[in-house]
Amino acid sequence: LGHVTSVGSRALTASNIGAMPNWVSVPATNSAAGTAGDLAHDSNYIYLCVVTGTTGNAKWIRFTGALWV
């Protein structure tokens, strides 16, 4: 698949599709440093930072991947 750069005659830009995700390294703990909205993934989970902070006071949640049937 190629990159989508337009929908119909409208070009896709950061201003009309919203902010792109910020992919970062997998957090070591659920309170590793992060910025709210940061995303990470490994072979088992997708991680989302929900509270901005330094190590010890940031908050991450993680989701398992399950196929919808």
Side-chain angles (χ1 to χ4, degrees):
L1 295 174
H3 295 281
V4 176
T5 57
S6 65
V7 175
S9 62
R10 186 172 180 195
L12 297 177
T13 66
S15 64
N16 66 18
I17 62 171
M20 298 301 290
N22 185 38
W23 291 98
V24 298
S25 298
V26 172
T29 68
N30 67 350
S31 62
T35 301
D38 284 351
L39 291 166
H41 70 89
D42 60 22
S43 60
N44 298 308
Y45 301 101
I46 295 172
Y47 302 82
L48 172 64
C49 183
V50 294
V51 175
T52 298
T54 56
T55 299
N57 62 18
K59 298 291 182 233
W60 288 83
I61 56 176
R62 67 182 184 185
F63 306 89
T64 59
L67 293 175
W68 286 7
V69 192

Short mmCIF file of all heavy atoms in Angstrom, two decimals:
data_model
loop_
_atom_site.label_atom_id
_atom_site.label_comp_id
_atom_site.label_asym_id
_atom_site.label_seq_id
_atom_site.Cartn_x
_atom_site.Cartn_y
_atom_site.Cartn_z
N LEU A 1 0.83 -1.19 0.00
CA LEU A 1 0.00 0.00 0.00
C LEU A 1 0.87 1.24 0.00
O LEU A 1 1.87 1.30 0.68
CB LEU A 1 -0.88 0.03 1.25
CG LEU A 1 -1.94 -1.06 1.38
CD1 LEU A 1 -2.61 -0.97 2.73
CD2 LEU A 1 -2.93 -1.00 0.27
N GLY A 2 0.43 2.23 -0.74
CA GLY A 2 1.15 3.50 -0.78
C GLY A 2 0.66 4.44 0.29
O GLY A 2 -0.27 4.14 1.04
N HIS A 3 1.29 5.58 0.37
CA HIS A 3 0.88 6.61 1.33
C HIS A 3 -0.29 7.40 0.76
O HIS A 3 -0.26 7.80 -0.39
CB HIS A 3 2.04 7.56 1.63
CG HIS A 3 3.18 6.89 2.32
ND1 HIS A 3 3.16 6.60 3.66
CD2 HIS A 3 4.35 6.43 1.86
CE1 HIS A 3 4.29 5.99 3.99
NE2 HIS A 3 5.02 5.88 2.91
N VAL A 4 -1.30 7.64 1.55
CA VAL A 4 -2.43 8.45 1.13
C VAL A 4 -2.07 9.90 1.35
O VAL A 4 -1.69 10.30 2.45
CB VAL A 4 -3.70 8.09 1.94
CG1 VAL A 4 -4.85 9.00 1.57
CG2 VAL A 4 -4.06 6.63 1.72
N THR A 5 -2.15 10.70 0.30
CA THR A 5 -1.81 12.13 0.42
C THR A 5 -3.00 13.03 0.13
O THR A 5 -2.92 14.23 0.28
CB THR A 5 -0.66 12.50 -0.53
OG1 THR A 5 -1.05 12.16 -1.86
CG2 THR A 5 0.61 11.76 -0.15
N SER A 6 -4.11 12.43 -0.31
CA SER A 6 -5.30 13.24 -0.56
C SER A 6 -6.54 12.38 -0.47
O SER A 6 -6.48 11.16 -0.57
CB SER A 6 -5.22 13.90 -1.95
OG SER A 6 -5.26 12.90 -2.95
N VAL A 7 -7.65 13.04 -0.25
CA VAL A 7 -8.96 12.39 -0.28
C VAL A 7 -9.76 13.19 -1.29
O VAL A 7 -10.05 14.36 -1.08
CB VAL A 7 -9.65 12.40 1.10
CG1 VAL A 7 -11.05 11.84 1.00
CG2 VAL A 7 -8.82 11.63 2.11
N GLY A 8 -10.09 12.56 -2.41
CA GLY A 8 -10.71 13.30 -3.51
C GLY A 8 -9.73 14.35 -3.99
O GLY A 8 -8.58 14.05 -4.27
N SER A 9 -10.18 15.59 -4.02
CA SER A 9 -9.30 16.67 -4.46
C SER A 9 -8.65 17.41 -3.28
O SER A 9 -7.92 18.37 -3.48
CB SER A 9 -10.08 17.67 -5.31
OG SER A 9 -11.11 18.24 -4.54
N ARG A 10 -8.92 16.95 -2.06
CA ARG A 10 -8.40 17.65 -0.87
C ARG A 10 -7.11 17.00 -0.39
O ARG A 10 -7.08 15.82 -0.05
CB ARG A 10 -9.44 17.60 0.24
CG ARG A 10 -9.05 18.40 1.44
CD ARG A 10 -10.17 18.50 2.43
NE ARG A 10 -9.73 19.30 3.56
CZ ARG A 10 -10.36 19.34 4.70
NH1 ARG A 10 -11.48 18.66 4.87
NH2 ARG A 10 -9.91 20.07 5.68
N ALA A 11 -6.03 17.78 -0.31
CA ALA A 11 -4.76 17.28 0.20
C ALA A 11 -4.84 17.06 1.70
O ALA A 11 -5.51 17.82 2.41
CB ALA A 11 -3.63 18.25 -0.12
N LEU A 12 -4.20 16.01 2.19
CA LEU A 12 -4.14 15.76 3.62
C LEU A 12 -2.96 16.51 4.21
O LEU A 12 -1.83 16.37 3.76
CB LEU A 12 -4.00 14.27 3.90
CG LEU A 12 -5.17 13.40 3.45
CD1 LEU A 12 -4.86 11.94 3.74
CD2 LEU A 12 -6.45 13.80 4.13
N THR A 13 -3.23 17.30 5.24
CA THR A 13 -2.19 18.04 5.93
C THR A 13 -2.37 17.86 7.42
O THR A 13 -3.43 17.42 7.88
CB THR A 13 -2.25 19.54 5.59
OG1 THR A 13 -3.46 20.07 6.12
CG2 THR A 13 -2.19 19.80 4.09
N ALA A 14 -1.37 18.23 8.20
CA ALA A 14 -1.46 18.12 9.66
C ALA A 14 -2.64 18.94 10.19
O ALA A 14 -3.28 18.56 11.16
CB ALA A 14 -0.17 18.56 10.32
N SER A 15 -2.96 20.04 9.55
CA SER A 15 -4.04 20.88 10.05
C SER A 15 -5.42 20.31 9.78
O SER A 15 -6.37 20.63 10.49
CB SER A 15 -3.94 22.29 9.47
OG SER A 15 -4.12 22.26 8.07
N ASN A 16 -5.57 19.44 8.78
CA ASN A 16 -6.91 18.92 8.53
C ASN A 16 -7.09 17.45 8.90
O ASN A 16 -8.17 16.91 8.74
CB ASN A 16 -7.38 19.19 7.08
CG ASN A 16 -6.59 18.44 6.03
OD1 ASN A 16 -5.90 17.48 6.30
ND2 ASN A 16 -6.68 18.91 4.81
N ILE A 17 -6.04 16.81 9.40
CA ILE A 17 -6.21 15.44 9.90
C ILE A 17 -5.88 15.33 11.38
O ILE A 17 -6.00 14.28 11.97
CB ILE A 17 -5.37 14.41 9.11
CG1 ILE A 17 -3.88 14.69 9.23
CG2 ILE A 17 -5.82 14.34 7.68
CD1 ILE A 17 -3.01 13.60 8.66
N GLY A 18 -5.47 16.41 12.00
CA GLY A 18 -5.13 16.38 13.41
C GLY A 18 -3.68 16.01 13.63
O GLY A 18 -2.94 15.74 12.69
N ALA A 19 -3.29 15.97 14.87
CA ALA A 19 -1.90 15.67 15.21
C ALA A 19 -1.58 14.20 14.93
O ALA A 19 -2.41 13.33 15.17
CB ALA A 19 -1.65 15.99 16.68
N MET A 20 -0.42 13.97 14.41
CA MET A 20 0.02 12.60 14.18
C MET A 20 0.52 12.02 15.50
O MET A 20 1.02 12.74 16.35
CB MET A 20 1.16 12.58 13.15
CG MET A 20 0.74 13.12 11.79
SD MET A 20 -0.63 12.22 11.05
CE MET A 20 0.13 10.68 10.65
N PRO A 21 0.37 10.70 15.69
CA PRO A 21 0.82 10.10 16.94
C PRO A 21 2.33 10.24 17.12
O PRO A 21 3.08 10.22 16.14
CB PRO A 21 0.43 8.63 16.82
CG PRO A 21 -0.15 8.44 15.48
CD PRO A 21 -0.21 9.75 14.78
N ASN A 22 2.75 10.35 18.35
CA ASN A 22 4.17 10.40 18.68
C ASN A 22 4.57 9.03 19.22
O ASN A 22 4.29 8.70 20.37
CB ASN A 22 4.43 11.49 19.73
CG ASN A 22 5.91 11.66 20.00
OD1 ASN A 22 6.72 11.56 19.09
ND2 ASN A 22 6.26 11.89 21.24
N TRP A 23 5.20 8.21 18.36
CA TRP A 23 5.63 6.87 18.76
C TRP A 23 6.96 6.96 19.48
O TRP A 23 7.88 7.63 19.02
CB TRP A 23 5.74 5.96 17.53
CG TRP A 23 4.41 5.67 16.94
CD1 TRP A 23 3.83 6.29 15.87
CD2 TRP A 23 3.47 4.69 17.39
NE1 TRP A 23 2.59 5.76 15.63
CE2 TRP A 23 2.34 4.78 16.55
CE3 TRP A 23 3.46 3.76 18.43
CZ2 TRP A 23 1.23 3.96 16.71
CZ3 TRP A 23 2.36 2.95 18.59
CH2 TRP A 23 1.26 3.05 17.74
N VAL A 24 7.05 6.33 20.64
CA VAL A 24 8.24 6.37 21.48
C VAL A 24 8.63 4.95 21.86
O VAL A 24 7.92 3.99 21.55
CB VAL A 24 7.99 7.22 22.75
CG1 VAL A 24 7.67 8.67 22.37
CG2 VAL A 24 6.87 6.64 23.59
N SER A 25 9.73 4.81 22.56
CA SER A 25 10.17 3.50 23.06
C SER A 25 9.19 3.00 24.12
O SER A 25 8.58 3.78 24.84
CB SER A 25 11.57 3.59 23.67
OG SER A 25 12.49 3.98 22.69
N VAL A 26 9.09 1.68 24.22
CA VAL A 26 8.20 1.06 25.20
C VAL A 26 8.62 1.48 26.61
O VAL A 26 9.80 1.40 26.96
CB VAL A 26 8.24 -0.47 25.06
CG1 VAL A 26 7.48 -1.16 26.18
CG2 VAL A 26 7.69 -0.88 23.70
N PRO A 27 7.68 1.96 27.43
CA PRO A 27 8.02 2.35 28.80
C PRO A 27 8.41 1.14 29.64
O PRO A 27 7.82 0.06 29.50
CB PRO A 27 6.73 2.99 29.31
CG PRO A 27 5.64 2.39 28.50
CD PRO A 27 6.25 2.12 27.15
N ALA A 28 9.38 1.32 30.52
CA ALA A 28 9.84 0.22 31.38
C ALA A 28 8.84 -0.09 32.49
O ALA A 28 8.75 -1.23 32.95
CB ALA A 28 11.20 0.56 31.98
N THR A 29 8.10 0.93 32.92
CA THR A 29 7.11 0.76 33.99
C THR A 29 5.88 1.61 33.65
O THR A 29 5.93 2.43 32.72
CB THR A 29 7.64 1.22 35.36
OG1 THR A 29 7.81 2.65 35.31
CG2 THR A 29 8.95 0.54 35.72
N ASN A 30 4.81 1.46 34.44
CA ASN A 30 3.61 2.25 34.19
C ASN A 30 3.75 3.70 34.66
O ASN A 30 2.83 4.50 34.47
CB ASN A 30 2.37 1.60 34.82
CG ASN A 30 2.43 1.59 36.34
OD1 ASN A 30 3.45 1.90 36.94
ND2 ASN A 30 1.32 1.22 36.95
N SER A 31 4.90 4.05 35.24
CA SER A 31 5.14 5.43 35.65
C SER A 31 6.43 5.99 35.04
O SER A 31 7.00 6.95 35.55
CB SER A 31 5.19 5.54 37.18
OG SER A 31 6.26 4.78 37.70
N ALA A 32 6.85 5.40 33.91
CA ALA A 32 8.02 5.90 33.19
C ALA A 32 7.73 7.28 32.63
O ALA A 32 6.57 7.63 32.38
CB ALA A 32 8.40 4.94 32.07
N ALA A 33 8.75 8.08 32.41
CA ALA A 33 8.58 9.42 31.86
C ALA A 33 7.83 9.36 30.53
O ALA A 33 8.03 8.44 29.73
CB ALA A 33 9.94 10.09 31.66
N GLY A 34 6.96 10.32 30.31
CA GLY A 34 6.23 10.36 29.06
C GLY A 34 5.40 11.62 28.95
O GLY A 34 5.23 12.37 29.93
N THR A 35 4.87 11.84 27.77
CA THR A 35 3.98 12.97 27.49
C THR A 35 2.63 12.42 27.10
O THR A 35 2.55 11.51 26.27
CB THR A 35 4.55 13.83 26.34
OG1 THR A 35 5.84 14.30 26.72
CG2 THR A 35 3.66 15.01 26.03
N ALA A 36 1.58 12.95 27.69
CA ALA A 36 0.23 12.47 27.39
C ALA A 36 0.04 12.41 25.87
O ALA A 36 0.34 13.36 25.16
CB ALA A 36 -0.81 13.37 28.02
N GLY A 37 -0.43 11.26 25.41
CA GLY A 37 -0.63 11.04 23.98
C GLY A 37 0.47 10.22 23.33
O GLY A 37 0.29 9.72 22.22
N ASP A 38 1.63 10.08 24.00
CA ASP A 38 2.69 9.23 23.45
C ASP A 38 2.18 7.81 23.29
O ASP A 38 1.41 7.32 24.13
CB ASP A 38 3.92 9.20 24.39
CG ASP A 38 4.76 10.45 24.32
OD1 ASP A 38 4.53 11.29 23.45
OD2 ASP A 38 5.68 10.56 25.16
N LEU A 39 2.62 7.14 22.25
CA LEU A 39 2.25 5.74 21.99
C LEU A 39 3.51 4.90 21.84
O LEU A 39 4.54 5.39 21.38
CB LEU A 39 1.44 5.64 20.69
CG LEU A 39 0.05 6.24 20.71
CD1 LEU A 39 -0.48 6.38 19.29
CD2 LEU A 39 -0.88 5.38 21.54
N ALA A 40 3.40 3.65 22.22
CA ALA A 40 4.49 2.69 22.04
C ALA A 40 3.86 1.32 21.80
O ALA A 40 2.68 1.12 22.08
CB ALA A 40 5.39 2.65 23.29
N HIS A 41 4.65 0.40 21.28
CA HIS A 41 4.12 -0.95 21.10
C HIS A 41 5.25 -1.97 21.13
O HIS A 41 6.40 -1.66 20.85
CB HIS A 41 3.34 -1.09 19.79
CG HIS A 41 4.19 -1.03 18.56
ND1 HIS A 41 4.76 -2.14 18.00
CD2 HIS A 41 4.58 0.01 17.81
CE1 HIS A 41 5.46 -1.79 16.94
NE2 HIS A 41 5.37 -0.49 16.80
N ASP A 42 4.89 -3.18 21.54
CA ASP A 42 5.78 -4.32 21.43
C ASP A 42 4.94 -5.47 20.88
O ASP A 42 3.83 -5.25 20.39
CB ASP A 42 6.47 -4.64 22.77
CG ASP A 42 5.51 -4.96 23.90
OD1 ASP A 42 4.35 -5.35 23.63
OD2 ASP A 42 5.91 -4.84 25.07
N SER A 43 5.44 -6.69 20.97
CA SER A 43 4.71 -7.81 20.37
C SER A 43 3.46 -8.21 21.15
O SER A 43 2.64 -8.97 20.65
CB SER A 43 5.63 -9.02 20.21
OG SER A 43 6.13 -9.42 21.48
N ASN A 44 3.28 -7.67 22.35
CA ASN A 44 2.13 -8.04 23.18
C ASN A 44 1.15 -6.92 23.47
O ASN A 44 -0.02 -7.18 23.72
CB ASN A 44 2.62 -8.60 24.52
CG ASN A 44 3.43 -9.85 24.34
OD1 ASN A 44 3.00 -10.78 23.68
ND2 ASN A 44 4.63 -9.85 24.90
N TYR A 45 1.61 -5.67 23.49
CA TYR A 45 0.79 -4.57 23.95
C TYR A 45 0.95 -3.31 23.11
O TYR A 45 1.98 -3.11 22.46
CB TYR A 45 1.15 -4.17 25.40
CG TYR A 45 0.99 -5.27 26.40
CD1 TYR A 45 2.09 -5.99 26.86
CD2 TYR A 45 -0.26 -5.58 26.92
CE1 TYR A 45 1.94 -7.00 27.80
CE2 TYR A 45 -0.42 -6.60 27.86
CZ TYR A 45 0.69 -7.29 28.28
OH TYR A 45 0.53 -8.29 29.22
N ILE A 46 -0.06 -2.45 23.20
CA ILE A 46 0.03 -1.07 22.75
C ILE A 46 -0.05 -0.23 24.02
O ILE A 46 -0.90 -0.47 24.88
CB ILE A 46 -1.12 -0.69 21.80
CG1 ILE A 46 -1.02 -1.52 20.51
CG2 ILE A 46 -1.11 0.80 21.49
CD1 ILE A 46 -2.20 -1.37 19.59
N TYR A 47 0.85 0.73 24.16
CA TYR A 47 0.94 1.56 25.36
C TYR A 47 0.53 2.98 25.03
O TYR A 47 0.89 3.50 23.97
CB TYR A 47 2.38 1.58 25.88
CG TYR A 47 2.95 0.23 26.22
CD1 TYR A 47 3.48 -0.59 25.23
CD2 TYR A 47 2.97 -0.22 27.53
CE1 TYR A 47 4.01 -1.85 25.53
CE2 TYR A 47 3.50 -1.46 27.85
CZ TYR A 47 4.01 -2.27 26.84
OH TYR A 47 4.53 -3.51 27.15
N LEU A 48 -0.18 3.63 25.95
CA LEU A 48 -0.60 5.01 25.79
C LEU A 48 -0.29 5.78 27.07
O LEU A 48 -0.72 5.38 28.15
CB LEU A 48 -2.11 5.09 25.50
CG LEU A 48 -2.75 6.47 25.50
CD1 LEU A 48 -2.18 7.34 24.38
CD2 LEU A 48 -4.26 6.35 25.39
N CYS A 49 0.46 6.87 26.93
CA CYS A 49 0.72 7.73 28.08
C CYS A 49 -0.50 8.63 28.29
O CYS A 49 -0.94 9.31 27.36
CB CYS A 49 1.97 8.58 27.86
SG CYS A 49 2.39 9.61 29.28
N VAL A 50 -1.07 8.60 29.50
CA VAL A 50 -2.27 9.38 29.79
C VAL A 50 -2.03 10.56 30.73
O VAL A 50 -2.89 11.41 30.88
CB VAL A 50 -3.41 8.47 30.33
CG1 VAL A 50 -3.87 7.50 29.26
CG2 VAL A 50 -2.98 7.73 31.58
N VAL A 51 -0.86 10.59 31.39
CA VAL A 51 -0.50 11.71 32.27
C VAL A 51 0.96 12.06 32.00
O VAL A 51 1.84 11.21 32.15
CB VAL A 51 -0.70 11.37 33.76
CG1 VAL A 51 -0.22 12.50 34.65
CG2 VAL A 51 -2.16 11.03 34.06
N THR A 52 1.21 13.30 31.60
CA THR A 52 2.57 13.77 31.36
C THR A 52 3.35 13.84 32.67
O THR A 52 2.81 14.27 33.69
CB THR A 52 2.54 15.17 30.71
OG1 THR A 52 1.88 15.07 29.45
CG2 THR A 52 3.94 15.75 30.53
N GLY A 53 4.60 13.41 32.63
CA GLY A 53 5.43 13.53 33.82
C GLY A 53 6.80 12.90 33.63
O GLY A 53 7.09 12.28 32.61
N THR A 54 7.61 13.09 34.64
CA THR A 54 8.93 12.46 34.66
C THR A 54 8.77 11.06 35.27
O THR A 54 7.69 10.70 35.73
CB THR A 54 9.90 13.30 35.52
OG1 THR A 54 9.34 13.46 36.82
CG2 THR A 54 10.12 14.68 34.89
N THR A 55 9.85 10.31 35.28
CA THR A 55 9.80 8.96 35.84
C THR A 55 9.29 9.02 37.28
O THR A 55 9.78 9.80 38.08
CB THR A 55 11.19 8.30 35.80
OG1 THR A 55 11.59 8.22 34.42
CG2 THR A 55 11.17 6.92 36.41
N GLY A 56 8.28 8.22 37.54
CA GLY A 56 7.69 8.18 38.88
C GLY A 56 6.35 8.88 38.98
O GLY A 56 5.56 8.55 39.85
N ASN A 57 6.08 9.86 38.07
CA ASN A 57 4.78 10.51 38.17
C ASN A 57 3.99 10.58 36.87
O ASN A 57 2.89 11.09 36.84
CB ASN A 57 4.88 11.90 38.81
CG ASN A 57 5.72 12.86 38.01
OD1 ASN A 57 5.98 12.66 36.84
ND2 ASN A 57 6.17 13.93 38.66
N ALA A 58 4.53 10.05 35.77
CA ALA A 58 3.75 9.91 34.54
C ALA A 58 2.87 8.67 34.69
O ALA A 58 3.08 7.85 35.59
CB ALA A 58 4.67 9.76 33.33
N LYS A 59 1.86 8.54 33.85
CA LYS A 59 0.98 7.37 33.90
C LYS A 59 0.80 6.80 32.51
O LYS A 59 0.45 7.52 31.57
CB LYS A 59 -0.39 7.75 34.48
CG LYS A 59 -0.35 8.27 35.89
CD LYS A 59 0.01 7.18 36.88
CE LYS A 59 -0.01 7.71 38.29
NZ LYS A 59 1.19 7.48 39.03
N TRP A 60 1.02 5.50 32.38
CA TRP A 60 0.83 4.76 31.13
C TRP A 60 -0.22 3.69 31.33
O TRP A 60 -0.33 3.10 32.40
CB TRP A 60 2.13 4.06 30.73
CG TRP A 60 3.21 4.98 30.25
CD1 TRP A 60 4.10 5.68 31.01
CD2 TRP A 60 3.51 5.29 28.90
NE1 TRP A 60 4.94 6.40 30.22
CE2 TRP A 60 4.61 6.17 28.91
CE3 TRP A 60 2.98 4.89 27.67
CZ2 TRP A 60 5.18 6.67 27.73
CZ3 TRP A 60 3.54 5.39 26.51
CH2 TRP A 60 4.63 6.27 26.54
N ILE A 61 -1.00 3.44 30.28
CA ILE A 61 -1.90 2.29 30.26
C ILE A 61 -1.50 1.43 29.08
O ILE A 61 -0.84 1.90 28.15
CB ILE A 61 -3.38 2.71 30.19
CG1 ILE A 61 -3.64 3.60 28.98
CG2 ILE A 61 -3.80 3.41 31.47
CD1 ILE A 61 -5.12 3.96 28.81
N ARG A 62 -1.86 0.17 29.12
CA ARG A 62 -1.52 -0.71 27.99
C ARG A 62 -2.72 -1.57 27.63
O ARG A 62 -3.57 -1.86 28.47
CB ARG A 62 -0.30 -1.57 28.29
CG ARG A 62 -0.49 -2.59 29.36
CD ARG A 62 0.81 -3.34 29.60
NE ARG A 62 0.57 -4.40 30.59
CZ ARG A 62 1.49 -5.17 31.09
NH1 ARG A 62 2.75 -5.01 30.71
NH2 ARG A 62 1.20 -6.11 31.96
N PHE A 63 -2.77 -1.91 26.37
CA PHE A 63 -3.87 -2.68 25.82
C PHE A 63 -3.32 -3.93 25.15
O PHE A 63 -2.30 -3.87 24.49
CB PHE A 63 -4.61 -1.88 24.74
CG PHE A 63 -5.06 -0.53 25.19
CD1 PHE A 63 -4.22 0.58 25.06
CD2 PHE A 63 -6.31 -0.36 25.74
CE1 PHE A 63 -4.64 1.83 25.48
CE2 PHE A 63 -6.73 0.89 26.15
CZ PHE A 63 -5.90 1.98 26.02
N THR A 64 -4.02 -5.04 25.31
CA THR A 64 -3.65 -6.24 24.57
C THR A 64 -4.30 -6.20 23.21
O THR A 64 -5.36 -5.60 23.03
CB THR A 64 -4.09 -7.52 25.30
OG1 THR A 64 -5.51 -7.46 25.48
CG2 THR A 64 -3.40 -7.67 26.63
N GLY A 65 -3.68 -6.81 22.26
CA GLY A 65 -4.27 -6.91 20.93
C GLY A 65 -5.07 -8.19 20.82
O GLY A 65 -4.57 -9.26 21.10
N ALA A 66 -6.31 -8.05 20.48
CA ALA A 66 -7.17 -9.23 20.29
C ALA A 66 -7.91 -9.07 18.97
O ALA A 66 -8.40 -7.98 18.65
CB ALA A 66 -8.16 -9.36 21.44
N LEU A 67 -7.97 -10.13 18.21
CA LEU A 67 -8.68 -10.07 16.94
C LEU A 67 -10.18 -10.03 17.17
O LEU A 67 -10.71 -10.71 18.06
CB LEU A 67 -8.35 -11.31 16.11
CG LEU A 67 -6.91 -11.42 15.62
CD1 LEU A 67 -6.73 -12.76 14.91
CD2 LEU A 67 -6.57 -10.27 14.71
N TRP A 68 -10.84 -9.20 16.41
CA TRP A 68 -12.31 -9.19 16.45
C TRP A 68 -12.79 -10.25 15.50
O TRP A 68 -12.32 -10.38 14.39
CB TRP A 68 -12.84 -7.84 16.01
CG TRP A 68 -12.67 -6.75 17.02
CD1 TRP A 68 -11.99 -6.81 18.18
CD2 TRP A 68 -13.19 -5.44 16.93
NE1 TRP A 68 -12.04 -5.63 18.84
CE2 TRP A 68 -12.80 -4.76 18.08
CE3 TRP A 68 -13.94 -4.77 15.99
CZ2 TRP A 68 -13.13 -3.43 18.32
CZ3 TRP A 68 -14.29 -3.46 16.24
CH2 TRP A 68 -13.89 -2.81 17.38
N VAL A 69 -13.73 -11.02 15.95
CA VAL A 69 -14.24 -12.11 15.11
C VAL A 69 -15.68 -11.83 14.72
O VAL A 69 -16.44 -11.33 15.47
CB VAL A 69 -14.15 -13.46 15.84
CG1 VAL A 69 -14.40 -14.59 14.88
CG2 VAL A 69 -12.80 -13.61 16.50
#
